[in-house]
Amino acid sequence: NVKEIGDSAFEECVSLDEITIPHSIVLGKGVFCSCTALKTVIFEADPELSKIPNYAFENCISLTSVTFSDNTSDIGNNAFSGCVSLSEITLPKELIELGMEAFKECTSLKNVHFTNTQPCRIGEAAFQYCSSLESINIVGDIGADAFNSCTNLKTAHISDGYIWGRAFKDCINLTEITLPENLGWIDEEVFSGCTSLKNISLDGYLFEIRKKAFYNCSSLREIILPHTFYALENEAFVGCSNLESITFLYDEQNAARDEWPFIDPSAVEGCVNLKTIYGYNGWGLDYDFLKNFSIDEVSHKKFLNDFFTGKYPDTFGRGELYNDDPRLGDARLCGTTASLCGIEKYGFEGNVVGVDRSVRYDITLHAFMLSQSGIPVIYSGDEIGQVNDYTYKNDPEKRVDS
């Protein structure tokens, strides 16, 4: 007939080694805290037991097995913190709230199985210092410091939620992470000190990377940011010593609205290998207007890209693409004006008429440029009609980037 077990009722019962909690019992805070011999806890199926209270099993250092009731929706703050022998858990299907420090310093915890059918909020420092944890797959928000210093964590897949400050800080073995498509920002120091992280996909609707978000991610080599992005805050990539390129996938809509990202001057301090920061990705054409003439955006961009890279039949252009996006047909094109206008092709063929026409194209383009407002830029070599130099392909460090 027991209906409730009060706060700290069995605290420090150091010989207690097994508990089965029947349905319809309400537990108080810290009810089994510091039961140092406790090894097994079983919660019987109970539609009324919706919460495991704060500190319920804190510092039960011998606990190795917990069987939850699927109806449990809330695991309280510090409920299992310091359970250093716990190596594997399967969380309840109805879980929607995992409290602050719920499993903090469970240093043997290697596998956590999230079976929740709806988004679950992971509280602050919920798994901080779980140094054996290897992988996670989560649907829901992740609180600040949630996985801070999980030094053996290698893979993380998160969907449908936000990620708050320092969530994965100092996860030194993290190599793979999948982020939610609806993620709006990377919060402060979220991946700071993730020294093994090499690649991360930041597509979707991301618009901001905050202070020290990737601080000292020394293995990171490339960052590609979506067209929604607008702010790279201070020290975001400080110490990313192997970072080589940052790309902003801006398109015609960004150009039409004169939208360009803010980059704090300190964002890339210490990025000693950073060679390029790419911006606008596209041809700068108003495709909303061109639709009036039955010009399709994707197919037209493909035509332009093919024409100026020599792939289109009878084209004279000789350029190369980089950072192309096959989904949208967007790409960046590079090549000297002379090669893009045909001087390279016709000169190689010995076609005097073709060279003459290409020279007129080249001069006309530069004349048009000089007629525009602002300060004109002439790229080195264009002043003498220099053609493309392909020797970069002989250099292993340069061949991937035309």
Side-chain angles (χ1 to χ4, degrees):
N1 295 321
V2 175
K3 300 296 183 184
E4 181 177 350
I5 302 176
D7 294 353
S8 305
F10 292 91
E11 184 175 1
E12 296 183 351
C13 289
V14 296
S15 297
L16 185 64
D17 64 5
E18 184 175 341
I19 304 167
T20 299
I21 300 172
H23 60 80
S24 302
I25 288 185
V26 177
L27 301 178
K29 294 179 182 178
V31 59
F32 297 104
C33 178
S34 298
C35 292
T36 54
L38 183 61
K39 295 179 180 178
T40 304
V41 175
I42 299 173
F43 292 91
E44 291 186 347
D46 185 353
E48 296 181 10
L49 180 62
S50 61
K51 180 174 181 177
I52 297 174
N54 299 345
Y55 310 102
F57 298 93
E58 184 181 31
N59 292 329
C60 291
I61 59 174
S62 298
L63 185 63
T64 59
S65 176
V66 180
T67 303
F68 293 100
S69 167
D70 281 340
N71 302 99
T72 303
S73 61
D74 189 342
I75 296 177
N77 301 339
N78 298 90
F80 295 92
S81 61
C83 293
V84 295
S85 297
L86 192 62
S87 62
E88 185 170 3
I89 52 169
T90 298
L91 294 171
K93 291 182 179 179
E94 300 300 321
L95 187 67
I96 58 174
E97 186 78 23
L98 185 63
M100 294 188 298
E101 303 184 15
F103 291 91
K104 184 178 180 180
E105 295 180 337
C106 291
T107 54
S108 297
L109 189 58
K110 185 176 181 180
N111 298 304
V112 178
H113 304 288
F114 289 86
T115 62
N116 48 299
T117 55
Q118 54 187 322
C120 172
R121 186 187 184 282
I122 311 299
E124 295 180 10
F127 294 94
Q128 189 174 19
Y129 303 124
C130 290
S131 53
S132 297
L133 188 61
E134 292 186 348
S135 66
I136 55 168
N137 194 332
I138 298 173
V139 179
D141 294 346
I142 297 180
D145 296 299
F147 296 94
N148 189 333
S149 298
C150 291
T151 53
N152 203 41
L153 185 66
K154 297 177 177 65
T155 61
H157 300 279
I158 305 107
S159 57
D160 194 28
Y162 296 104
I163 303 173
W164 298 98
R166 304 173 305 279
F168 294 94
K169 183 178 180 181
D170 293 332
C171 292
I172 58 175
N173 281 301
L174 184 66
T175 58
E176 179 185 343
I177 185 159
T178 305
L179 300 176
E181 290 187 1
N182 62 347
L183 187 66
W185 61 85
I186 306 292
D187 207 12
E188 295 185 5
E189 298 188 71
V190 165
F191 298 106
S192 175
C194 293
T195 54
S196 298
L197 187 63
K198 293 182 179 180
N199 300 297
I200 184 169
S201 176
L202 297 175
D203 52 6
Y205 298 95
L206 188 74
F207 59 81
E208 184 178 16
I209 294 180
R210 295 178 175 171
K211 183 178 180 180
K212 293 187 176 182
F214 292 93
Y215 188 84
N216 280 340
C217 290
S218 54
S219 296
L220 198 62
R221 300 182 68 88
E222 180 184 33
I223 289 289
I224 300 177
L225 300 168
H227 68 92
T228 55
F229 191 85
Y230 70 74
L232 191 59
E233 294 192 2
N234 54 316
E235 302 179 87
F237 294 103
V238 166
C240 294
S241 54
N242 281 301
L243 184 63
E244 295 181 354
S245 68
I246 301 174
T247 301
F248 298 91
L249 294 179
Y250 276 33
D251 55 22
E252 278 76 14
Q253 286 71 33
N254 298 103
R257 294 190 295 266
D258 198 25
E259 294 176 340
W260 310 108
F262 164 77
I263 303 177
D264 188 275
S266 68
V268 292
E269 285 183 3
C271 297
V272 294
N273 282 303
L274 184 63
K275 299 178 178 69
T276 49
I277 298 180
Y278 302 124
Y280 173 57
N281 186 12
W283 282 93
L285 301 175
D286 186 350
Y287 281 102
D288 287 334
F289 172 73
L290 292 175
K291 286 178 182 177
N292 296 320
F293 305 95
S294 300
I295 294 178
D296 173 70
E297 179 176 354
V298 174
S299 60
H300 188 241
K301 287 178 177 177
K302 184 179 187 306
F303 161 72
L304 292 173
N305 292 337
D306 288 349
F307 186 92
F308 285 104
T309 55
K311 298 176 182 177
Y312 196 79
D314 299 322
T315 178
F316 52 75
R318 291 294 183 268
E320 295 195 358
L321 300 180
Y322 61 98
N323 281 5
D324 53 315
D325 184 347
R327 297 171 302 169
L328 302 176
D330 285 331
R332 291 168 183 78
L333 175 74
C334 68
T336 67
T337 308
S339 289
L340 294 173
C341 288
I343 294 174
E344 177 182 328
K345 168 184 165 59
Y346 293 124
F348 179 79
E349 294 175 353
N351 186 332
V352 176
V353 175
V355 169
D356 182 65
R357 184 173 66 242
S358 298
V359 168
R360 293 200 304 274
Y361 289 160
D362 191 319
I363 293 173
T364 301
L365 282 173
H366 280 94
F368 177 76
M369 178 188 70
L370 292 169
S371 73
Q372 303 303 297
S373 61
I375 300 174
V377 175
I378 297 178
Y379 284 91
S380 178
D382 270 2
E383 75 281 5
I384 58 173
Q386 188 175 42
V387 297
N388 293 337
D389 178 2
Y390 299 101
T391 58
Y392 77 92
K393 294 183 178 181
N394 298 327
D395 186 334
E397 294 186 359
K398 295 179 179 179
R399 66 175 56 155
V400 295
D401 188 354
S402 59

